[in-house]
Amino acid sequence: MSLKQQRIFWTILFLLMIMAAFIVPFTPLFRDLSRVYGAFLFWNIFALVVIICLGIITAKWRNFNGR
Amino acid sequence: MDANTIYLAIFLYFVVGSIIARLARRKLGSGVNDFFLAGRTLGGIVSALTYSATTYSAFMLVGLAGFTYIGGVGALGFELIYLSGLVLVAFFGPRLWLVGKRYNYLTPTEMLGDRYQSKAVAIVAAIAAVIFLIPYSAVQLIGIGALVEGLSGGAIPFLIGVVIAAAIAVYWTWTGGLRAVAWTDSLQAAVMLTVAILSVIFIAYNGFGGFGNMFTQLEERYPAWLTVPGPGFFNIHAFVGLTLPWFFFSLSNPQVSQRLFMPRSLNQMRIMVMGFLIFGFIYTLVSILWGFSARLLLPDLEVADAATPALLGLDIVPASVALLVMLGISAAAISTVNSIILTLSSMVTRDVFKNLRDNTSENRELLVGRIFVPIFTIFILAFATLRLDLIAALSVASSAGLLVMVPALIGAFFWKRGTAAAVLASIIIGGTVATVLQYSGFFPLGLWPGVWSGLISTVLFIGVSLLTRPPEQKAEEFLGYLQEELNTKKII
């Protein structure tokens, strides 16, 4: 993937994930799921996926020490 | 808790922090870059810890636990979406770092002023930051004052707690600038996290017999607290209104975005970002579990913010741990306040003083910046002791108010057409709207001030830019340089 394509890919992916984090727990399925594996688990998984994605993106920074 | 024990704990804490601050001072070089940015040479781990300690304030174990107490799991969504706002750093972190080094920017607002070729932009953005961040800092001191007063049963008056906290913050900052702030922040972040984890384990095992039982009880007794809107506090308007401005925190708050200038390499910035994410994830979970525990153990509290002090007062938490938690919360507040004081001082000297006076020497600039460290501390202290309604409103409005900087920041890196007039319009009008709506409590169409200020500042930034003339030469040069560097380094 070219840099431009990567930028578009990550931007769309993050937009979708963040919109999901706003919307999914308010949908009827989750609204009535008063269990730990409902919204609580969903938001935790969301955060962990974001952290992993950022790990992948920032891994490319490691080669440049700016000296 | 006995007042003398609290005094002794704070004193010991101050001594240890002061030793660290004095050690940091030995490495202090000359010049504004060294005082305010540690010479852009911070290592990744210290960067991560100071970023964490600056970002997370007393709000977490007090305010967020309180949100969980009254609103349930929505508080977790709010805080984790905020944490996910670090995706912005994936795009803007390397860009700010690169231009910071090339143009020797001291503050993010200086970058705005230069990019849009307008001294007025830098001055107005700096003043807006002062207006919103001083009340925000005052609320941190108010939190410490109230906590210490509550824990000591009134034996340590509110005012004494506030003054002690302010004195610690100003002493460490004055001693060694950013190096001292970063090193003491590292100590404070370590204390914050260790104490928070330790205390939640005590609460879970002594209060419920384990985390599993805690959740089982929650599902049985307060099932609504595991859903949104659940008990009602986190209806969709409140959720979006609270969360949206905080999502942009890593860009909108200068005390945080200035930290993107500081790591000595992009590799160290990576350690900073990942370290912060892990810290934030754990600290968020602990704060939420704290709130759930209070809901189960203390169901009849009238004020949600009392959840933490009330939990500390229960006999399931040993007194020594309760004392450490008090220190941990104070550390969270002090580490936020001293970073804000330093950032605002750098903005006043670079963006206001230097722009208003030609031919200022670096020594003079540094002197002015240092003088503003105690001046801002006194302001914050005065605001904290007044405890006016307006302070609380401005503090709450800070995230909505600072959000108005975001369109200009995004435009600086991604839109050649952006203009200085548009930045001024978006910051001044957007910031005023945020403050008026927050203070009046008037939420048109049910939308919160942060949503309105974000929308208005974006529309103004785009609209006014299209009607005015951009600084074409600077935009070409600035973005051309970035494009080349990003392509060479293969950074998205």
Side-chain angles (χ1 to χ4, degrees):
Chain A
M1 258 198 291
S2 71
L3 267 182
K4 194 175 178 184
Q5 285 171 325
Q6 284 183 48
R7 274 176 204 139
I8 294 169
F9 169 77
W10 285 113
T11 305
I12 292 173
L13 186 69
F14 283 136
L15 271 175
L16 288 176
M17 283 199 293
I18 289 155
M19 280 168 64
F22 274 99
I23 296 166
V24 171
F26 284 90
T27 56
L29 175 68
F30 277 79
R31 218 166 39 202
D32 301 325
L33 192 61
S34 51
R35 290 281 182 266
V36 175
Y37 52 79
F40 184 85
L41 183 65
F42 174 82
W43 272 319
N44 275 302
I45 291 173
F46 156 75
L48 288 173
V49 172
V50 168
I51 292 172
I52 291 167
C53 288
L54 283 172
I56 294 169
I57 292 175
T58 58
K60 294 185 178 171
W61 300 357
R62 113 179 16 157
N63 302 325
F64 299 97
N65 288 328
R67 293 190 183 98
Chain B
M1 196 177 289
D2 177 43
N4 287 332
T5 311
I6 295 175
Y7 278 129
L8 182 65
I10 293 174
F11 178 72
L12 288 175
Y13 191 69
F14 172 67
V15 168
V16 174
S18 298
I19 291 170
I20 290 174
R22 303 292 296 185
L23 287 174
R25 184 193 171 94
R26 287 187 188 173
K27 296 216 166 200
L28 183 67
S30 58
V32 284
N33 266 329
D34 217 86
F35 191 78
F36 290 110
L37 297 180
R40 302 177 203 271
T41 57
L42 275 194
I45 292 172
V46 172
S47 296
L49 291 170
T50 184
Y51 196 102
S52 305
T54 300
T55 298
Y56 291 121
S57 64
F59 168 76
M60 292 296 281
L61 281 181
V62 180
L64 190 65
F67 275 178
T68 314
Y69 184 86
I70 53 166
V73 73
L76 177 73
F78 157 65
E79 195 63 31
L80 288 183
I81 291 176
Y82 154 65
L83 185 69
S84 76
L86 261 280
V87 300
L88 295 167
V89 175
F91 293 92
F92 291 92
R95 286 169 172 79
L96 272 160
W97 185 81
L98 284 166
V99 295
K101 273 173 88 82
R102 176 172 171 95
Y103 300 105
N104 200 28
Y105 295 139
L106 187 68
T107 67
T109 38
E110 181 189 10
M111 190 272 293
L112 285 181
D114 183 48
R115 165 64 181 81
Y116 293 104
Q117 293 289 286
S118 163
K119 288 180 179 177
V121 163
I123 294 171
V124 166
I127 291 171
V130 171
I131 290 172
F132 287 111
L133 285 175
I134 287 210
Y136 179 70
S137 305
V139 168
Q140 299 297 322
L141 294 188
I142 290 171
I144 296 181
L147 183 70
V148 173
E149 186 179 49
L151 264 184
S152 66
I156 302 178
F158 167 83
L159 190 62
I160 298 286
V162 167
V163 170
I164 290 174
I168 294 174
V170 73
Y171 179 68
W172 290 350
T173 312
W174 176 266
T175 299
L178 192 275
R179 249 178 247 279
V181 166
W183 287 26
T184 53
D185 272 6
S186 300
L187 163 76
Q188 303 197 83
V191 170
M192 284 158 64
L193 196 62
T194 312
V195 160
I197 294 172
L198 193 67
S199 60
V200 86
I201 290 173
F202 267 106
I203 291 170
Y205 282 89
N206 289 350
F208 308 97
F211 288 102
N213 285 344
M214 181 203 285
F215 281 114
T216 306
Q217 284 195 34
L218 200 61
E219 286 179 348
E220 285 168 1
R221 291 169 54 196
Y222 296 99
W225 266 252
L226 287 166
T227 62
V228 278
F233 179 78
F234 283 108
N235 61 62
I236 189 72
H237 284 306
F239 187 78
V240 174
L242 278 166
T243 310
L244 193 68
W246 284 95
F247 175 77
F248 291 97
F249 186 91
S250 60
L251 285 185
S252 63
N253 275 250
Q255 77 277 18
V256 177
S257 56
Q258 191 180 39
R259 275 164 168 65
L260 298 173
F261 292 145
M262 298 172 189
R264 68 170 172 264
S265 68
L266 282 181
N267 186 30
Q268 300 304 312
M269 186 187 276
R270 174 179 202 258
I271 296 170
M272 176 181 95
V273 170
M274 298 312 293
F276 168 72
L277 286 167
I278 293 164
F279 184 106
F281 185 66
I282 297 171
Y283 203 51
T284 299
L285 277 183
V286 168
S287 304
I288 299 293
L289 292 177
W290 195 294
F292 279 144
S293 306
R295 170 48 60 190
L296 289 165
L297 295 168
L298 300 153
D300 301 319
L301 294 176
E302 286 180 8
V303 182
D305 283 355
T308 291
L311 261 185
L312 291 179
L314 295 178
D315 55 9
I316 56 167
V317 184
S320 55
V321 175
L323 188 67
L324 285 173
V325 173
M326 186 274 295
L327 280 183
I329 295 171
S330 303
I334 291 170
S335 58
T336 298
V337 170
N338 63 6
S339 299
I340 290 175
I341 289 170
L342 199 63
T343 295
L344 292 183
S345 302
S346 67
M347 291 166 93
V348 164
T349 193
R350 176 58 59 93
D351 299 319
V352 182
F353 176 72
K354 198 176 177 192
N355 274 332
L356 293 178
R357 290 187 54 149
D358 294 328
N359 302 323
T360 307
S361 72
E362 186 166 348
N363 280 344
R364 198 166 181 82
E365 195 188 350
L366 179 60
L367 180 69
V368 171
R370 289 192 71 152
I371 287 171
F372 267 89
V373 169
I375 291 177
F376 276 130
T377 309
I378 291 167
F379 261 101
I380 292 167
L381 191 59
F383 270 62
T385 52
L386 287 172
R387 293 174 106 169
L388 296 173
D389 288 346
L390 179 64
I391 296 167
L394 276 172
S395 171
V396 176
S398 70
S399 60
L402 291 171
L403 183 64
V404 302
M405 310 257 191
V406 172
L409 272 163
I410 295 175
F413 292 107
F414 290 99
W415 199 39
K416 287 181 183 172
R417 196 67 191 75
T419 71
V423 178
L424 292 173
S426 62
I427 291 178
I428 294 170
I429 299 173
T432 308
V433 167
T435 310
V436 169
L437 292 183
Q438 190 68 51
Y439 191 57
S440 65
F442 173 52
F443 295 2
L445 304 175
L447 300 178
W448 281 43
V451 179
W452 281 114
S453 66
L455 279 173
I456 288 170
S457 59
T458 305
V459 169
L460 282 171
F461 179 69
I462 295 171
V464 178
S465 286
L466 292 174
L467 296 173
T468 46
R469 192 177 165 79
E472 285 164 4
Q473 198 181 344
K474 181 70 195 183
E476 285 291 340
E477 193 263 327
F478 184 97
L479 293 173
Y481 162 73
L482 265 180
Q483 198 62 47
E484 201 174 298
E485 283 291 304
L486 294 172
N487 284 339
T488 311
K489 295 179 164 52
K490 299 202 182 328
I491 291 169
I492 64 159

